[in-house]
Amino acid sequence: GGAEAGFEDQPVHINFDIDKTDISEHITNVTLTGIPAGSRLSIDYTDPATGTTYHVPLPIHNGAANIPIGFLGENMSTDGLVLTPPANVSGSFDLQLNVTSTEPSNGDKVINHFDIPLTLTAVADALGVTINNAQVVDGDVVHINAVEDGSFALDISALTADKDGSEVISVTISGVPTGATLSAGTEN
């Protein structure tokens, strides 16, 4: 494995190859740790008898998941391990692949640790915008009817589901007639 990178709200493929230096030893356990809370992990497994590929979910307990040895094949590698982080999570995470190697002749075991830095790049989420109690989407045109020389309320609300502070919301009002003024209300 090496450094892995992906985008917020998107699955990330984690690839690794386990090279054994002692051919008499057997890999007896592979565990991925440091998994962000709320993530899902799965592995692609191809049935050698049928050639059918299955997307198999792997349970995560306290940020760790066992990778079934039988899913890694004879070459002890995968490019089908998929980590799906929880919604709106971005930043750097320290994953670690822990590989247990056992000497069959005497049962001696050693655990090797391999760091897999993971970086999830933040992406802007779609906004929930309402104008005068009407839900609008990006690109919508909102028409406001007003009396000449009068005033009217323009109640605008813009929200994002991403609450980690990685996004900034700005609202642009265009097409304001010459001579018209906007204010934040009578209290401001």
Side-chain angles (χ1 to χ4, degrees), residues 15-36:
N15 307 308
F16 62 82
D17 295 303
I18 300 170
D19 294 324
K20 296 190 315 180
T21 55
D22 184 344
I23 60 170
S24 69
E25 293 180 357
H26 298 285
I27 304 300
T28 54
N29 190 42
V30 177
T31 304
L32 184 67
T33 63
I35 301 169

Side-chain angles (χ1 to χ4, degrees), residues 64-118:
N66 286 322
I67 312 300
I69 301 295
F71 288 10
L72 299 178
E74 289 182 29
N75 61 356
M76 299 304 290
S77 67
T78 184
D79 58 2
L81 190 63
V82 179
L83 175 71
T84 304
N88 304 313
V89 168
S90 60
S92 297
F93 302 91
D94 298 318
L95 302 179
Q96 190 173 69
L97 191 67
N98 303 301
V99 179
T100 304
S101 180
T102 303
E103 180 65 53
S105 64
N106 61 13
D108 188 32
K109 294 182 180 186
V110 65
I111 300 174
N112 295 286
H113 308 280
F114 304 95
D115 294 330
I116 305 174
L118 171 64

Side-chain angles (χ1 to χ4, degrees), residues 39 52 62 115 176:
S39 295
T52 304
N62 298 320
D115 294 330
V176 177

Side-chain angles (χ1 to χ4, degrees), residues 95-147:
L95 302 179
Q96 190 173 69
L97 191 67
N98 303 301
V99 179
T100 304
S101 180
T102 303
E103 180 65 53
S105 64
N106 61 13
D108 188 32
K109 294 182 180 186
V110 65
I111 300 174
N112 295 286
H113 308 280
F114 304 95
D115 294 330
I116 305 174
L118 171 64
T119 302
L120 297 175
T121 301
V123 295
D125 291 313
L127 298 176
V129 178
T130 57
I131 300 176
N132 291 352
N133 294 322
Q135 186 77 27
V136 296
V137 296
D138 187 33
D140 278 355
V141 175
V142 178
H143 298 278
I144 306 293
N145 294 319
V147 176

Side-chain angles (χ1 to χ4, degrees), residues 142-152 154 172-183:
V142 178
H143 298 278
I144 306 293
N145 294 319
V147 176
E148 184 178 348
D149 298 327
S151 64
F152 60 91
L154 185 58
T172 302
I173 300 172
S174 60
V176 177
T178 303
T181 59
L182 299 174
S183 73

